Amino acid sequence: MKSLGSVIRSVQAFGRELSGRPNGAEAKRIPAIGVALGGGFARGIAHIGVLKVLEEEGIPVRMIAGTSVGAIMGAGYCSGLTIAELEELAHKVRFTTFARWTLSRYGFASNDRMVSFLKQTLKVQSFEELRIPLGVTATDFNTGKGVVFTSGPIIEPVRASCAYPGMFLPVEIRGSWLVDGMLSYPVPTVPLREMGAERVLAVHLKGQWSKTSAPRHYFDVIGQSFAIAQEMMSSTWRSASDVVIEPDVAGFDYDDFKRADELIHVGELAMRRALPEVRNWLAAPAEAPAPLQAPALVARPTPMPAD
């Protein structure tokens, strides 16, 4: 039989062993990582490559915010679509999947087809049901303020986020007329900070900004204008980022859906180049940043008259 002294020494040794193991409070805390997916129409297929690498490398994404096509990709991924399902979808979609040409004083096309597309594609229909928290951005046409949706039904906010001015008709939600989120949040890093992200990965799909050639058609004029505006606003969203990646989408047209494989690949390449920095977040998490100013609420302007 053991002596009392040996029993005490055994208990003390066991206590020292337990104290040396990190418990829930003492374990290294992984920072809340958020991914901001910018706009870019068909070029947004590159977002799939970014998410694919993050998943393959075991980088825990705690929240996503999306603008325009980034909102579509974010909604699909956060609703539970796998990377394989997103890739399959990217190979099937075309401009007419989301839009139809129309005659209106507000634009050349309507993205109302996006309603049935998203109903069939998304695995849930409300923000509250998502497996990963999502923020969807849009811009209030009357006030010019950014709007961020994080609750309620998903489909109409995504439509509004994709309502490219001059091309698509504005989308009315609760008395407000909304257009593309790229006007207020080209890359939605600030909304991610407001959602609680401690580390922000920004994915910027830099538009083609030709400084020598003339525009080929009306959509080049719109796209070029957005590219210029994005560049002028870059200091705001970049300052809320920890890492910015820019997939090389310069050689792709706004409607290059048929080049899905190439776009996914450039997204992968860009994300892999940034992996060392992102892995550092897991190795040495830092304190949470100071909160930024809260995003504007949806205004309630006078509705537009019917066509």
Side-chain angles (χ1 to χ4, degrees):
M1 183 179 294
K2 291 184 178 180
S3 66
L4 179 60
S6 65
V7 171
I8 292 174
R9 284 193 294 274
S10 298
V11 172
Q12 289 173 333
F14 183 63
R16 285 194 298 271
E17 184 181 350
L18 283 179
S19 65
R21 296 177 182 171
N23 56 32
E26 296 169 338
K28 185 190 299 180
R29 187 178 64 85
I30 296 175
I33 296 173
V35 179
L37 303 177
F41 213 59
R43 301 180 188 115
I45 293 173
H47 290 319
I48 299 174
V50 173
L51 295 170
K52 182 177 183 178
V53 171
L54 289 170
E55 213 174 78
E56 288 175 351
E57 297 298 323
I59 307 296
V61 175
R62 293 274 298 279
M63 60 199 75
I64 291 175
T67 289
S68 200
V69 67
I72 296 176
M73 294 298 175
Y77 188 69
C78 292
S79 78
L81 291 178
T82 65
I83 295 298
E85 288 172 324
L86 284 173
E87 289 178 324
E88 182 181 355
L89 201 62
H91 288 95
K92 291 180 179 178
V93 297
R94 294 294 184 267
F95 177 81
T96 52
T97 304
F98 311 108
R100 61 181 176 85
W101 300 111
T102 187
L103 291 176
S104 170
R105 52 185 162 167
Y106 302 132
F108 288 109
S110 169
N111 65 7
D112 55 359
R113 286 181 178 172
M114 195 175 289
V115 174
S116 58
F117 168 76
L118 291 175
K119 280 183 178 178
Q120 294 169 12
T121 301
L122 301 183
K123 298 198 173 183
V124 300
Q125 301 295 307
S126 72
F127 285 90
E128 289 78 7
E129 297 173 281
L130 297 171
R131 68 183 183 94
I132 298 173
L134 173 70
V136 170
T137 70
T139 304
D140 189 301
F141 176 79
N142 290 77
T143 67
K145 293 182 179 180
V147 180
V148 182
F149 293 90
T150 57
S151 63
I154 298 173
I155 291 175
E156 288 303 297
V158 172
R159 277 191 67 212
S161 189
C162 297
Y164 206 75
M167 179 184 290
F168 293 121
L169 310 185
V171 175
E172 189 268 338
I173 298 179
R174 297 194 295 273
S176 294
W177 288 94
L178 305 176
V179 293
D180 203 302
M182 287 177 67
L183 285 171
S184 50
Y185 299 110
V187 184
T189 56
V190 173
L192 269 183
R193 292 291 187 191
E194 288 299 325
M195 290 167 65
E198 296 166 319
R199 290 288 179 266
V200 172
L201 172 68
V203 187
H204 179 216
L205 304 175
K206 192 170 184 177
Q208 296 184 36
W209 184 0
S210 171
K211 299 177 182 178
T212 56
S213 61
R216 297 168 301 164
H217 43 61
Y218 174 76
F219 298 118
D220 266 4
V221 175
I222 297 177
Q224 194 87 321
S225 299
F226 264 94
I228 294 168
Q230 276 187 306
E231 194 68 24
M232 298 301 104
M233 297 170 63
S234 65
S235 61
T236 301
W237 63 260
R238 286 181 188 274
S239 65
S241 311
D242 292 293
V243 170
V244 177
I245 68 171
E246 296 184 319
D248 184 8
V249 295
F252 297 88
D253 292 330
Y254 79 96
D255 58 349
D256 253 345
F257 294 101
K258 62 184 178 296
R259 299 174 67 186
D261 283 332
E262 296 171 71
L263 283 162
I264 293 170
H265 183 62
V266 297
E268 290 182 65
L269 290 178
M271 187 62 243
R272 291 205 175 277
R273 285 193 294 269
L275 271 177
E277 277 190 90
V278 174
R279 285 200 185 102
N280 285 339
W281 300 345
L282 307 184
E287 294 297 320
L292 300 173
Q293 183 178 355
L297 298 176
V298 178
R300 296 186 180 280
T302 304
M304 286 184 174
D307 286 357

